């Protein structure tokens, strides 16, 4: 699996990353969603440099112009519910892409720190021979992404899969490297320090789904 860290050089991306972490800013849920969306737009641009392109001729009012356009057959797949603002950011750039959605959540059967991942709701387009962009803001343990990946390839064979996360923990990155095949790419906006005893990212930003859409039961 190839890993791309895109906040290593200063850019406006780091400005938006700071705002989604800042407790004095992030509690404005509309601004939080918009900042995640803008981060998605920046990451979509960076990822676009690794897609396949074809040469085309465009008719302008004054003549013909040779240029290139995206050839990769794209499917955007977000993990509900936190992935929706990130999905919107990517869709702003890849408006021709197909769209898929999967739910994944932590289930604590013993009401303690131990958990399993439940993948339930799925609305998937045809993924065969497609370039799938799997979108989830937070990469903590990596178990959710691996569980969703297993669902995606259960009945389909994508050409390649690009996993896009805003904030990642080293433990999650290591788990994906161990668990996913070579045709996967991992795109990380920011790599954080560690996971705490509850498997939340530190310093992180809290629960992205709650910040975007309100607390859940």
């Amino acid at each position: 699996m190839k890993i791309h860290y895109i906040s290593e050089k200063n850019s406006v991306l780091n400005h938006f990353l700071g705002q989604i972490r800042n407790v004095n800013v992030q509690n404005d849920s509309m601004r939080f969603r918009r900042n995640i969306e803008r981060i998605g737009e920046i990451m979509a641009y960076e990822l676009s440099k690794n897609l396949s392109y074809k040469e085309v001729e465009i008719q302008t009012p004054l003549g013909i112009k040779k240029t290139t356009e995206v050839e990769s057959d794209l499917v955007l797949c977000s993990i509900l519910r936190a992935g929706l603002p990130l999905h919107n950011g990517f869709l702003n750039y890849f408006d021709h892409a197909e769209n898929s959605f999967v739910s994944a959540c932590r289930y604590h059967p013993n009401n303690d720190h131990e958990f399993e991942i439940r993948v339930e709701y799925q609305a998937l387009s045809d993924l065969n021979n497609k370039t799938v962009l799997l979108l989830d803001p937070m990469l903590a343990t990596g178990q959710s992404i691996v569980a969703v990946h297993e669902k995606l390839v259960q009945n389909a064979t994508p050409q390649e899969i690009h996993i896009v996360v805003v904030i990642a923990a080293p433990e999650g990155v290591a788990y994906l490297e161990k668990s996913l095949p070579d045709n996967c790419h991992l795109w990380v906006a920011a790599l954080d320090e560690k996971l705490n005893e509850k498997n939340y990212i530190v310093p992180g930003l809290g629960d992205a789904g709650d910040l975007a859409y309100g607390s859940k039961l």
Side-chain angles (χ1 to χ4, degrees):
M1 183 178 70
K2 188 172 182 179
I3 304 176
H4 312 262
Y5 296 105
I6 65 173
S7 65
E8 294 176 337
K9 293 183 179 180
N10 279 326
S11 75
V12 72
L13 172 64
N14 290 331
H15 178 82
F16 297 136
L17 286 169
Q19 289 194 356
I20 64 172
R21 296 181 189 271
N22 189 332
V23 295
N24 297 314
V25 177
Q26 65 174 200
N27 287 330
D28 181 341
S29 59
M30 187 169 77
R31 188 170 178 182
F32 182 84
R33 291 193 302 271
R34 180 62 182 125
N35 280 333
I36 293 288
E37 184 176 342
R38 291 192 284 195
I39 290 169
E41 291 172 348
I42 295 168
M43 297 187 77
Y45 169 73
E46 294 296 334
L47 189 152
S48 73
K49 300 173 185 178
N50 281 255
L51 299 176
S52 298
Y53 289 80
K54 61 183 178 182
E55 292 186 354
V56 296
E57 290 187 345
I58 302 297
Q59 176 70 59
T60 80
L62 300 175
I64 301 294
K65 174 61 180 175
K66 290 184 178 180
T67 185
T68 60
E69 62 182 30
V70 175
E71 185 175 38
S72 301
D73 204 354
L74 301 179
V75 178
L76 306 180
C77 180
S78 59
I79 299 179
L80 301 173
R81 62 183 168 152
L84 290 175
L86 191 61
H87 190 113
N88 287 338
F90 270 77
L91 194 58
N92 289 343
Y93 275 35
F94 302 131
D95 54 287
H96 59 288
E98 297 177 69
N99 297 273
S100 295
F101 303 91
V102 179
S103 72
C105 63
R106 295 183 181 185
Y107 171 64
H108 299 263
N110 301 315
N111 294 318
D112 56 19
H113 296 335
E114 297 297 319
F115 65 88
E116 60 190 50
I117 301 298
R118 287 187 170 179
V119 179
E120 297 175 336
Y121 176 82
Q122 301 172 59
L124 301 178
S125 55
D126 180 9
L127 306 180
N128 283 304
N129 299 314
K130 306 288 179 63
T131 297
V132 177
L133 311 186
L134 180 56
L135 312 171
D136 194 12
M138 310 297 284
L139 170 57
T141 67
Q143 294 179 48
S144 293
I145 286 176
V146 169
V148 170
H149 176 272
E150 290 174 356
K151 288 289 184 182
L152 297 184
V153 301
Q154 198 170 54
N155 298 305
T157 307
Q159 187 176 71
E160 61 180 358
I161 296 179
H162 293 262
I163 298 158
V164 179
V165 301
V166 176
I167 296 175
E171 296 91 334
V173 173
Y175 186 72
L176 295 194
E177 285 188 286
K178 179 182 71 174
S179 305
L180 297 181
D182 292 339
N183 71 335
C184 289
H185 291 248
L186 174 62
W187 296 82
V188 179
L191 181 65
D192 275 14
E193 296 172 12
K194 62 180 180 179
L195 295 177
N196 65 14
E197 67 280 357
K198 295 183 179 180
N199 288 311
Y200 291 118
I201 302 172
V202 177
L205 54 74
D207 188 299
D210 286 359
L211 288 166
Y213 298 110
S215 338
K216 55 188 176 291
L217 294 177

